[in-house]
Amino acid sequence: MTKLYILAFFICSLTLARAQQEIPMPKVPLMRQIYHSNIDSAQSKILHANGNKTNVFKVSEDISINQQSTQILTTRINNLQAKIELDSTISINDKITWLKALEDVLRSFNSAYGFKSIKGIMLGDVVLGFEQCMKLQLKNQSMYPVVANNEYEVGKILVDNPALKNNKGNKASRNVLVLKLCQRSPNKILAILKDNSDVPFADSLIKLEALKNQELIYDYASTQTPLGRKIQTVQDPLVKTIGLLALMNSGRVYFPFLDKLYLGTLSLDSVAKIKDDEEAYYKLLVKTQVEYAERMQHGDTPLVRNVLVDKLRSKGIETYINEINALHDEKSDAVRFKKIEKLTPVELYYLCVLGEQEIYTSSYLGVYKRIFERMKVPRADSLLDALHYDHYKKFIKLASAYNTLDDFLKKMDKSQADKMMRNFVNGLEQTATLEDAVDVADSYASINTGSELHKLILDETAANLARTQQNGDKRGETIYNILNTIFLSMDEKNNVDVAAKLGINPIFMMPNSLLKDTGNGRIIVQQFFYGDKDGNNVFNAFVSNFRNPNWKITTKPEWVEVKAMKGTPITIYANKPLDELKDLDAQAQAHLVEYLDSLSLYPSFYIHRGHSYYVKSTIEQIQSSAKVVLLGSCGGYQSLNKVLRISPQAQIISSKQTGTGIINQGMINLMMEEIRLGKDLNWPAIWARLEGSFKGDMKEKFDDYVPPHKNLGAIFIMAYNKASDYTE
């Protein structure tokens, strides 16, 4: 782009070259001297912008270009002042008008230049453009050709100039600037049209946007704004369909089916008949999703397919998963799973893959069992064929996490199972996100070491690494190198130090020294409690566990401070679970954060104690100083990436399913004691000790907790972020 500006500058310089000899300034009447003085001041401000103390306006590293820019700013502007004074065809009042207009051009340029919204090298275009527009205005001709032939930034200064606002081409010029802006920022077209809905080409742009961004068209069409009203008038079948839905009270219920409604393969009446029947509506969502999956296999991309997936996910969770999760203590499966008794295998499949973040282990196992019980011939390949392999990688990840992968693979021919697993690993560099790569990493952690499947994934990862290296695919090479390194490190025989090789913090342990504050050597722990009934019970249990000679508890109005009296200096700060209905718990947390910040105390250990719906609030308060994070809530495992965005090197302990107060407190007791004694947190050793301390139902729930060294997905994200920072 800079080269284009320089080329334009040279063209402009050639045009201006003939006029660079100084024109003597005639005697200026006293009444107009102030306007010349203002222009001189504006010239000086541009010349000395950004603290420049020389008399050269530097816009480039090229000395000749800077000299030409300076000549335009000085001689060219001075000559234009003289021309205005010497032109006998310009009346006295108009001379004042044009002198003020010239000052306005310079001040507008200087302001834009100061905000870095215009390049210094564009000064010549601005000056030449103003001269041309001035001549056209004096002849009562349109300024449009000048604006159309210049960059947006130049044109904006010209159309806003007071002397040119009444030019007969000003409106057309403003319209072409809107078009230039849309061409420059094609992803912001509707935002641009929001303030310019009256441009003559608005309909055409709205039609194009409707093909690319139906959700945004819907959002604008549902508003009583000029753009919203404009969208409703556009005579285009797709825009009219979106506009119709946007005006309906329950338009969002219909919107996931936009593609079929637009094509006429589904009617509004058909949806209206079942929209209030939660089961029928869910079934229609699944049917549509399967149809879309088939179309996508053939290279067709249905409209708003992501909206359909989101609606299918939310309806599955709201209608089915929440209920079977809530009945997790119910002894009778007939009672617990009654809600899903009318769902087909394909409909059950989508509950699993799209309800990943909410479904409990026992709920998943119950749904998985019923998928194959309801098939005449319980074959996994038949199931995947029926839904055109939609979301199959996510299903593999879930099956591996819940130890049903072997069973799933046995329900198809071995050759087909091997092919599917190879596809599971292949092409990870081709996706826009890292989700598939993280799923592969997490799946590997759950597969039995030394098994054929374990070896297949490892071999396929190595093969993809070689392929991407040979092809010079840097992103692919990074992804597969990290996966290969992590996978090899899981077998002690390979003697791979994954932390050293990937440049990340140790993953099998957290050194005591890394937890200490660099200022005073103290370890700061912050624990978040919430003011519901469970929160009070868990808080009281926490305090009771630290009533011993090794710790001193200090109670403040909104929090407690638990300080180690022996060994490594540790202080645990925990807010009191004050009344959530009055937002007192949130207030206590905020005040505690402010208090720690005022003392320059930055926690390296964060602990979330509360239900899953509070975890978002906790994560928002975590700082980049975090080294260890315990998410002791249901489904905390799903929030790993959010934590890593804040602290890319944090080690995270989380539960895939039900977080339990007894287990969380047991972990906290053991970890706090280890670091108080000056020991490193050795995760394999800590996990072995914890496994032996829980029995029966608690042991089953503990098994859902994932330690930092088994969080392969989190390790992958951590390493990928590190590699990306390095390459950038």
Side-chain angles (χ1 to χ4, degrees), residues 209-218 236-246 251-268 271 281 284-285 288 292 295 302-308:
E209 279 300 287
L211 295 173
K212 297 186 298 181
N213 201 333
Q214 299 81 39
E215 288 184 79
L216 206 51
I217 291 285
Y218 180 100
D236 174 79
L238 178 55
V239 177
K240 287 178 73 67
T241 303
I242 297 172
L244 175 62
L245 297 181
R252 281 293 178 187
V253 175
Y254 294 82
F255 194 58
F257 309 107
L258 173 64
D259 195 275
K260 298 185 70 173
L261 293 169
Y262 165 59
L263 295 175
T265 57
L266 181 69
S267 68
L268 287 171
V271 181
Y281 186 75
L284 180 59
L285 288 169
T288 306
Y292 285 6
R295 287 170 57 183
L303 301 172
V304 298
R305 62 187 180 88
N306 291 335
V307 175
L308 175 66

Side-chain angles (χ1 to χ4, degrees), residues 37 73 102 125 136 141 151 243 357 365 448 538 562 637 726:
S37 176
L73 180 59
L102 179 56
D125 293 328
L136 292 168
Q141 294 177 357
E151 293 287 338
Q357 296 189 14
L365 293 174
N448 292 330
V538 173
V562 182
Y637 184 73
Y726 179 76

Side-chain angles (χ1 to χ4, degrees), residues 178 182 188-199 202 205-206 216 219-220 223-231:
V178 174
C182 290
K188 299 179 180 178
I189 286 177
L190 290 177
I192 295 168
L193 289 181
K194 184 169 78 73
D195 299 318
N196 302 279
S197 60
D198 59 340
V199 293
L205 291 179
I206 289 169
L216 206 51
D219 289 341
Y220 279 112
T223 63
Q224 286 301 312
T225 62
L227 179 56
R229 290 189 288 271
K230 180 66 176 177
I231 291 171

Side-chain angles (χ1 to χ4, degrees), residues 510-517 520-525 546 549-552 562-572 604-605 670-681:
M510 173 53 65
N512 194 289
S513 58
L514 280 182
L515 292 171
K516 292 180 180 178
D517 186 290
N520 53 32
R522 177 174 293 278
I523 295 175
I524 305 299
V525 181
F546 285 85
N550 292 327
W551 301 87
K552 177 184 177 182
V562 182
K563 186 176 181 179
M565 302 305 293
K566 304 174 184 178
T568 302
I570 307 167
T571 305
I572 306 170
S604 59
F605 204 129
L670 178 54
M671 290 188 291
M672 292 301 109
E673 189 62 13
E674 290 287 286
I675 58 177
R676 187 187 69 79
L677 294 174
K679 298 179 181 180
D680 299 331
L681 293 175

Side-chain angles (χ1 to χ4, degrees), residues 307-568:
V307 175
L308 175 66
V309 171
D310 289 342
K311 181 65 77 172
L312 185 53
R313 176 184 292 110
S314 64
K315 282 298 177 184
I317 291 170
E318 294 167 9
T319 306
Y320 300 105
I321 291 176
N322 285 347
E323 179 160 335
I324 58 178
N325 280 352
L327 295 171
H328 68 277
D329 290 328
E330 175 60 51
K331 301 300 182 184
S332 169
D333 273 7
V335 174
R336 182 178 183 186
F337 295 101
K338 181 177 176 58
K339 187 75 173 179
I340 62 172
E341 66 181 11
K342 294 181 181 179
L343 298 186
T344 67
V346 169
E347 290 160 356
L348 292 171
Y349 170 90
Y350 281 106
L351 285 184
C352 293
V353 295
L354 297 181
E356 175 194 15
Q357 296 189 14
E358 301 292 337
I359 195 167
Y360 290 177
T361 299
S362 55
S363 298
Y364 165 85
L365 293 174
V367 173
Y368 177 86
K369 174 185 174 184
R370 284 160 178 76
I371 288 175
F372 294 103
E373 282 182 347
R374 294 177 190 178
M375 295 180 69
K376 291 181 179 179
V377 180
R379 286 186 60 87
D381 51 349
S382 298
L383 174 70
L384 295 178
D385 284 340
L387 47 86
H388 308 285
Y389 281 76
D390 189 31
H391 286 83
Y392 83 96
K393 290 189 175 185
K394 184 63 67 180
F395 192 77
I396 290 173
K397 183 237 178 159
L398 288 168
S400 64
Y402 299 127
N403 297 318
T404 58
L405 184 57
D406 284 342
D407 179 76
F408 182 70
L409 295 178
K410 286 176 183 176
K411 295 183 187 299
M412 66 175 77
D413 295 337
K414 186 177 185 305
S415 60
Q416 194 162 355
D418 287 351
K419 180 182 178 181
M420 184 182 69
M421 292 307 298
R422 286 192 176 92
N423 289 336
F424 177 58
V425 180
N426 293 340
L428 300 177
E429 78 280 5
Q430 297 172 9
T431 59
T433 69
L434 296 174
E435 185 175 0
D436 284 354
V438 171
D439 286 349
V440 170
D442 284 332
S443 298
Y444 191 83
S446 304
I447 297 169
N448 292 330
T449 304
S451 65
E452 284 188 34
L453 184 55
H454 213 250
K455 185 176 185 304
L456 183 149
I457 292 179
L458 183 58
D459 290 346
E460 202 65 25
T461 301
N464 276 280
L465 174 58
R467 173 182 60 80
T468 51
Q469 286 174 331
Q470 185 176 359
N471 294 340
D473 184 338
K474 292 301 181 183
R475 183 172 187 268
E477 182 181 345
T478 300
I479 289 172
Y480 284 109
N481 179 57
I482 294 171
L483 289 175
N484 193 55
T485 302
I486 293 173
F487 294 167
L488 289 174
S489 74
M490 298 299 289
D491 188 341
E492 293 181 1
K493 296 176 185 176
N494 294 321
N495 195 30
V496 174
D497 185 342
V498 67
K501 194 161 184 182
L502 297 178
I504 58 177
N505 287 342
I507 62 171
F508 284 91
M509 67 170 57
M510 173 53 65
N512 194 289
S513 58
L514 280 182
L515 292 171
K516 292 180 180 178
D517 186 290
T518 54
N520 53 32
R522 177 174 293 278
I523 295 175
I524 305 299
V525 181
Q526 185 173 359
Q527 194 167 186
F528 292 84
F529 287 94
Y530 291 84
D532 56 356
K533 180 181 178 181
D534 291 337
N536 280 280
N537 293 335
V538 173
F539 177 81
N540 292 333
F542 157 70
V543 174
S544 297
N545 272 272
F546 285 85
R547 293 191 187 281
N548 63 69
N550 292 327
W551 301 87
K552 177 184 177 182
I553 301 172
T554 303
T555 301
K556 299 292 181 71
E558 293 183 303
W559 63 81
V560 296
E561 300 173 5
V562 182
K563 186 176 181 179
M565 302 305 293
K566 304 174 184 178
T568 302

Side-chain angles (χ1 to χ4, degrees), residues 503-709:
I504 58 177
N505 287 342
I507 62 171
F508 284 91
M509 67 170 57
M510 173 53 65
N512 194 289
S513 58
L514 280 182
L515 292 171
K516 292 180 180 178
D517 186 290
T518 54
N520 53 32
R522 177 174 293 278
I523 295 175
I524 305 299
V525 181
Q526 185 173 359
Q527 194 167 186
F528 292 84
F529 287 94
Y530 291 84
D532 56 356
K533 180 181 178 181
D534 291 337
N536 280 280
N537 293 335
V538 173
F539 177 81
N540 292 333
F542 157 70
V543 174
S544 297
N545 272 272
F546 285 85
R547 293 191 187 281
N548 63 69
N550 292 327
W551 301 87
K552 177 184 177 182
I553 301 172
T554 303
T555 301
K556 299 292 181 71
E558 293 183 303
W559 63 81
V560 296
E561 300 173 5
V562 182
K563 186 176 181 179
M565 302 305 293
K566 304 174 184 178
T568 302
I570 307 167
T571 305
I572 306 170
Y573 293 89
N575 69 279
K576 293 180 179 179
L578 304 177
D579 192 344
E580 65 168 341
L581 298 178
K582 298 179 181 178
D583 259 356
L584 297 181
D585 51 355
Q587 182 176 293
Q589 292 170 3
H591 289 165
L592 177 53
V593 169
E594 291 171 5
Y595 173 74
L596 294 175
D597 189 55
S598 71
L599 298 177
S600 297
L601 297 176
Y602 306 108
S604 59
F605 204 129
Y606 284 92
I607 302 170
H608 169 73
R609 306 296 300 275
H611 293 294
S612 58
Y613 40 83
Y614 293 125
V615 74
K616 181 176 181 288
S617 176
T618 293
I619 291 175
E620 286 174 349
Q621 299 178 80
I622 291 176
Q623 299 183 48
S624 59
S625 57
K627 298 295 190 300
V628 177
V629 178
L630 168 58
L631 298 177
S633 68
C634 301
Y637 184 73
Q638 310 304 332
S639 300
L640 302 182
N641 201 18
K642 296 175 185 175
V643 175
L644 292 174
R645 288 194 194 106
I646 300 168
S647 182
Q649 298 286 318
Q651 295 186 357
I652 307 168
I653 304 166
S654 59
S655 173
K656 292 181 180 179
Q657 300 305 319
T658 308
T660 306
I662 294 174
I663 294 174
N664 291 334
Q665 191 59 56
M667 288 183 181
I668 294 167
N669 293 345
L670 178 54
M671 290 188 291
M672 292 301 109
E673 189 62 13
E674 290 287 286
I675 58 177
R676 187 187 69 79
L677 294 174
K679 298 179 181 180
D680 299 331
L681 293 175
N682 184 311
W683 299 120
I686 286 174
W687 235 247
R689 288 174 62 180
L690 288 169
E691 280 182 322
S693 64
F694 298 116
K695 307 295 181 184
D697 184 50
M698 282 296 114
K699 174 63 167 62
E700 182 181 339
K701 290 180 179 179
F702 173 74
D703 287 342
D704 282 330
Y705 280 79
V706 184
H709 66 291

